[in-house]
Amino acid sequence: MNEPSNPVVRRLVAAINGGDRDAFMAVLTPDATLTDDGSARPLGEWVDREIFSANGHLTVDLEQEGGLRLLARYRNDTWGEMSTFWRFEVDGERISRIETGQA
């Protein structure tokens, strides 16, 4: 599988893989939250460090709940490649919550 079936999540994954921070942030609600391995993280700092300054890339292996839950291989220049989970809450055409961590 290459792309999630949920169109909002698909736009977010495309932004990650395209290195497009502006497109990534445009998919989020203004008050979007993020947790990494169960701990709340400052979203802007986290995406800069873990995704955009580290050449992050997400390869979706499995999706559930209409694309709102993903099992994916995630790699970046800092950590290499690892198996990760991603859960999203969508509010209209935007994502309001991201939960991620090692699977």
Side-chain angles (χ1 to χ4, degrees):
M1 163 174 292
N2 293 326
E3 294 185 343
S5 60
N6 182 288
V8 179
V9 174
R10 186 169 49 243
R11 287 198 323 265
L12 189 85
V13 171
I16 291 171
N17 292 342
D20 189 340
R21 187 185 193 281
D22 290 341
F24 181 96
M25 298 306 286
V27 176
L28 304 177
T29 62
D31 61 346
T33 60
L34 178 132
T35 62
D36 183 3
D37 285 326
S39 297
R41 304 287 185 206
L43 194 141
E45 283 178 29
W46 188 92
V47 300
D48 287 342
R49 182 181 64 249
E50 300 293 334
I51 299 174
F52 297 107
S53 70
N55 299 308
H57 190 272
L58 190 70
T59 302
V60 178
D61 293 322
L62 175 71
E63 74 166 27
Q64 297 174 315
E65 295 182 26
L68 296 179
R69 296 173 74 108
L70 305 177
L71 183 61
R73 285 171 283 131
Y74 182 75
R75 70 168 158 58
N76 69 21
D77 293 345
T78 305
W79 305 108
E81 185 171 285
M82 66 188 85
S83 181
T84 58
F85 71 85
W86 297 75
R87 295 183 188 111
F88 303 96
E89 291 179 18
V90 173
D91 182 5
E93 294 297 312
R94 294 176 139 187
I95 292 171
S96 60
R97 180 167 177 79
I98 302 170
E99 297 175 26
T100 188
Q102 290 193 45

